[in-house]
Amino acid sequence: MGRPGSLGRDAVLAIGLIGTGIGGVAAFLKAVPEGGLQLPVAPVAALAVLLLGILLAKWGFAPVRRRVRIPRPARYAAPPAELPEVGSEALDHAAVDADGFEHTVAALCARDGCGAVEVVGGAGDLGADVLATTADGRRVVIQCKHYAEDNRVGSQDLQRFGGTCFVVHEADVAVVVTTSSFTQPAAEYAETCGIICVDGEALAAWTEQQAPAPWESGGGVSASAPSASASLSARGELS
């Protein structure tokens, strides 16, 4: 339906066109020589006015054509992200390299009910290797450390991750998973910042479903306590 102002202008325009039409018909009939055309003036004028009125009515009250946004065809929609494979081979952390380890952790997340699981590790990842969303909507940001048993995750690794996991990646749950273990300073820093540490033993328990997923375990899967000798060597260690 048109706006009130536009309807008023249409009415004035219609009256003007009708008057012009009547004047044109009268001028035509006046110009015809006497006896040249034997047409009755009144019926011809009435017919002309009627036809003109019909045309004006059709034009003036036709529904406004609105621009309709055509939905994007389904074939052009972005395909949903495929969840990682969760077969037994996909969970074999020892049989993969550092890049493959990220995929095994992602497979664990998918197995335990996470959606939107992505492996995003690489240059410029700012500490995030795996992103996932829990069933209750929490955002999980995981850093993966595929280290040998004697190469422990130090506090500098945790500090770098702590500087980005919450502020940059907006994590609700921040996790560091390693195949080795954590130094005492690293574990203390993680506890202070609320980062969940999953060492090799805790990872094995999670994989074998002998322990809940980190985001379901309250405070998470804590790092295994270092041995006495390891604690002594870890004192003052920052890397």
Side-chain angles (χ1 to χ4, degrees), residues 16-102:
L17 290 175
I18 291 173
T20 302
I22 294 174
V25 171
F28 169 74
L29 295 175
K30 185 176 181 181
V32 175
E34 293 185 3
L37 288 175
Q38 301 298 325
L39 295 176
V41 176
V44 171
L47 179 61
V49 171
L50 178 61
L51 292 175
L52 187 59
I54 293 173
L55 292 175
L56 289 173
K58 184 176 180 181
W59 170 75
F61 294 98
V64 178
R65 294 182 179 179
R66 296 181 179 179
R67 190 174 183 179
V68 179
R69 184 181 296 274
I70 301 174
R72 196 176 183 182
R75 65 178 181 274
Y76 294 123
E82 295 183 1
L83 291 179
E85 181 186 353
V86 293
S88 58
E89 295 182 358
L91 304 179
D92 189 351
H93 311 297
V96 295
D97 58 9
D99 291 336
F101 181 54
E102 296 172 0

Side-chain angles (χ1 to χ4, degrees), residues 32-187:
V32 175
E34 293 185 3
L37 288 175
Q38 301 298 325
L39 295 176
V41 176
V44 171
L47 179 61
V49 171
L50 178 61
L51 292 175
L52 187 59
I54 293 173
L55 292 175
L56 289 173
K58 184 176 180 181
W59 170 75
F61 294 98
V64 178
R65 294 182 179 179
R66 296 181 179 179
R67 190 174 183 179
V68 179
R69 184 181 296 274
I70 301 174
R72 196 176 183 182
R75 65 178 181 274
Y76 294 123
E82 295 183 1
L83 291 179
E85 181 186 353
V86 293
S88 58
E89 295 182 358
L91 304 179
D92 189 351
H93 311 297
V96 295
D97 58 9
D99 291 336
F101 181 54
E102 296 172 0
H103 287 80
T104 65
V105 173
L108 275 175
C109 295
R111 184 201 67 183
D112 289 351
C114 284
V117 181
E118 298 179 78
V119 176
V120 295
D125 60 19
L126 297 177
D129 294 321
V130 177
L131 302 178
T133 303
T134 64
D136 58 1
R138 288 174 294 164
R139 180 175 175 83
V140 181
V141 179
I142 303 176
Q143 184 177 81
C144 303
K145 296 293 186 184
H146 190 265
Y147 286 175
E149 290 184 6
D150 58 349
N151 184 14
R152 302 162 66 204
V153 180
S155 62
Q156 288 187 356
D157 294 319
L158 269 295
Q159 289 170 27
R160 284 190 288 268
F161 183 58
T164 60
C165 59
F166 296 112
V167 177
V168 176
H169 299 296
E170 300 180 340
D172 296 311
V173 182
V175 185
V176 178
V177 181
T178 183
T179 50
S180 63
S181 59
F182 296 86
T183 65
Q184 187 66 30

